[in-house]
Short mmCIF file of all heavy atoms in Angstrom, two decimals:
data_model
loop_
_atom_site.label_atom_id
_atom_site.label_comp_id
_atom_site.label_asym_id
_atom_site.label_seq_id
_atom_site.Cartn_x
_atom_site.Cartn_y
_atom_site.Cartn_z
N ASP M 867 33.00 43.20 106.78
CA ASP M 867 32.88 41.73 106.74
C ASP M 867 32.10 41.36 105.48
O ASP M 867 30.87 41.48 105.41
CB ASP M 867 32.15 41.26 108.00
CG ASP M 867 32.01 39.76 108.09
OD1 ASP M 867 32.03 39.08 107.04
OD2 ASP M 867 31.85 39.24 109.21
N ILE M 868 32.81 40.87 104.45
CA ILE M 868 32.17 40.62 103.15
C ILE M 868 31.14 39.49 103.22
O ILE M 868 30.15 39.50 102.50
CB ILE M 868 33.21 40.36 102.05
CG1 ILE M 868 32.56 40.50 100.66
CG2 ILE M 868 33.87 38.99 102.22
CD1 ILE M 868 33.56 40.59 99.53
N ASN M 869 31.34 38.53 104.11
CA ASN M 869 30.36 37.46 104.26
C ASN M 869 29.08 37.96 104.92
O ASN M 869 27.98 37.54 104.56
CB ASN M 869 30.95 36.30 105.05
CG ASN M 869 31.89 35.45 104.21
OD1 ASN M 869 31.47 34.79 103.27
ND2 ASN M 869 33.17 35.49 104.53
N ALA M 870 29.21 38.86 105.88
CA ALA M 870 28.02 39.45 106.50
C ALA M 870 27.25 40.27 105.48
O ALA M 870 26.01 40.23 105.44
CB ALA M 870 28.42 40.33 107.69
N LEU M 871 27.97 41.01 104.63
CA LEU M 871 27.31 41.79 103.57
C LEU M 871 26.57 40.85 102.61
O LEU M 871 25.44 41.13 102.20
CB LEU M 871 28.34 42.61 102.80
CG LEU M 871 28.68 44.01 103.31
CD1 LEU M 871 29.17 44.00 104.75
CD2 LEU M 871 29.70 44.68 102.40
N THR M 872 27.21 39.74 102.25
CA THR M 872 26.60 38.79 101.32
C THR M 872 25.36 38.16 101.93
O THR M 872 24.34 37.99 101.25
CB THR M 872 27.62 37.71 100.92
OG1 THR M 872 28.78 38.34 100.37
CG2 THR M 872 27.03 36.77 99.89
N PHE M 873 25.44 37.79 103.23
CA PHE M 873 24.27 37.22 103.89
C PHE M 873 23.12 38.21 103.91
O PHE M 873 21.96 37.85 103.64
CB PHE M 873 24.61 36.80 105.32
CG PHE M 873 23.44 36.22 106.07
CD1 PHE M 873 23.11 34.88 105.93
CD2 PHE M 873 22.64 37.01 106.87
CE1 PHE M 873 22.01 34.34 106.59
CE2 PHE M 873 21.54 36.49 107.55
CZ PHE M 873 21.23 35.15 107.40
N ALA M 874 23.39 39.48 104.23
CA ALA M 874 22.33 40.48 104.22
C ALA M 874 21.73 40.63 102.83
O ALA M 874 20.52 40.85 102.67
CB ALA M 874 22.87 41.82 104.72
N GLY M 875 22.58 40.48 101.79
CA GLY M 875 22.06 40.49 100.42
C GLY M 875 21.16 39.30 100.14
O GLY M 875 20.13 39.43 99.46
N TYR M 876 21.51 38.13 100.66
CA TYR M 876 20.63 36.96 100.55
C TYR M 876 19.26 37.27 101.19
O TYR M 876 18.21 36.92 100.65
CB TYR M 876 21.24 35.76 101.27
CG TYR M 876 22.27 34.96 100.51
CD1 TYR M 876 23.02 35.52 99.48
CD2 TYR M 876 22.50 33.63 100.82
CE1 TYR M 876 23.97 34.77 98.81
CE2 TYR M 876 23.45 32.87 100.15
CZ TYR M 876 24.18 33.45 99.15
OH TYR M 876 25.12 32.69 98.48
N MET M 877 19.30 37.92 102.36
CA MET M 877 18.05 38.26 103.05
C MET M 877 17.19 39.19 102.19
O MET M 877 15.96 39.03 102.11
CB MET M 877 18.34 38.93 104.39
CG MET M 877 18.99 38.04 105.43
SD MET M 877 17.95 36.63 105.95
CE MET M 877 18.66 35.32 104.93
N ALA M 878 17.84 40.16 101.55
CA ALA M 878 17.09 41.10 100.70
C ALA M 878 16.42 40.38 99.54
O ALA M 878 15.27 40.68 99.17
CB ALA M 878 18.02 42.19 100.19
N ASN M 879 17.14 39.43 98.93
CA ASN M 879 16.55 38.68 97.82
C ASN M 879 15.48 37.71 98.30
O ASN M 879 14.43 37.57 97.66
CB ASN M 879 17.66 37.91 97.09
CG ASN M 879 18.60 38.82 96.34
OD1 ASN M 879 18.23 39.91 95.92
ND2 ASN M 879 19.84 38.38 96.18
N GLU M 880 15.76 37.02 99.40
CA GLU M 880 14.82 35.99 99.88
C GLU M 880 13.53 36.60 100.41
O GLU M 880 12.44 36.08 100.15
CB GLU M 880 15.48 35.16 100.97
CG GLU M 880 14.60 34.00 101.44
CD GLU M 880 15.23 33.19 102.55
OE1 GLU M 880 16.13 33.71 103.25
OE2 GLU M 880 14.81 32.04 102.75
N HIS M 881 13.63 37.71 101.12
CA HIS M 881 12.45 38.31 101.75
C HIS M 881 11.92 39.51 100.97
O HIS M 881 10.80 39.95 101.23
CB HIS M 881 12.77 38.71 103.19
CG HIS M 881 13.22 37.56 104.03
ND1 HIS M 881 12.41 36.50 104.35
CD2 HIS M 881 14.43 37.27 104.59
CE1 HIS M 881 13.07 35.63 105.09
NE2 HIS M 881 14.31 36.07 105.24
N GLY M 882 12.70 40.03 100.04
CA GLY M 882 12.22 41.05 99.13
C GLY M 882 12.24 42.48 99.65
O GLY M 882 11.20 43.06 99.92
N PHE M 883 13.45 43.06 99.81
CA PHE M 883 13.52 44.48 100.16
C PHE M 883 14.73 45.13 99.51
O PHE M 883 15.69 44.47 99.11
CB PHE M 883 13.53 44.68 101.68
CG PHE M 883 14.69 44.05 102.43
CD1 PHE M 883 15.90 44.72 102.58
CD2 PHE M 883 14.56 42.80 103.01
CE1 PHE M 883 16.95 44.16 103.26
CE2 PHE M 883 15.61 42.23 103.72
CZ PHE M 883 16.82 42.91 103.84
N ASP M 884 14.68 46.45 99.42
CA ASP M 884 15.70 47.24 98.74
C ASP M 884 16.95 47.36 99.60
O ASP M 884 16.89 47.83 100.75
CB ASP M 884 15.13 48.64 98.44
CG ASP M 884 16.15 49.59 97.85
OD1 ASP M 884 17.08 49.12 97.19
OD2 ASP M 884 16.00 50.82 98.05
N THR M 885 18.08 46.99 99.07
CA THR M 885 19.32 47.02 99.83
C THR M 885 19.79 48.43 100.13
O THR M 885 20.34 48.70 101.21
CB THR M 885 20.42 46.26 99.07
OG1 THR M 885 20.63 46.88 97.80
CG2 THR M 885 20.05 44.80 98.88
N VAL M 886 19.60 49.36 99.20
CA VAL M 886 20.09 50.73 99.40
C VAL M 886 19.32 51.42 100.51
O VAL M 886 19.91 52.04 101.41
CB VAL M 886 20.01 51.54 98.09
CG1 VAL M 886 20.50 52.97 98.32
CG2 VAL M 886 20.82 50.87 96.99
N SER M 887 18.00 51.32 100.47
CA SER M 887 17.20 51.97 101.51
C SER M 887 17.39 51.30 102.87
O SER M 887 17.45 51.97 103.90
CB SER M 887 15.72 51.97 101.13
OG SER M 887 15.46 52.95 100.16
#
Side-chain angles (χ1 to χ4, degrees):
D867 182 335
I868 196 166
N869 283 294
L871 271 57
T872 304
F873 179 84
Y876 278 25
M877 293 297 99
N879 291 332
E880 185 181 21
H881 302 294
F883 61 86
D884 175 28
T885 59
V886 179
S887 284

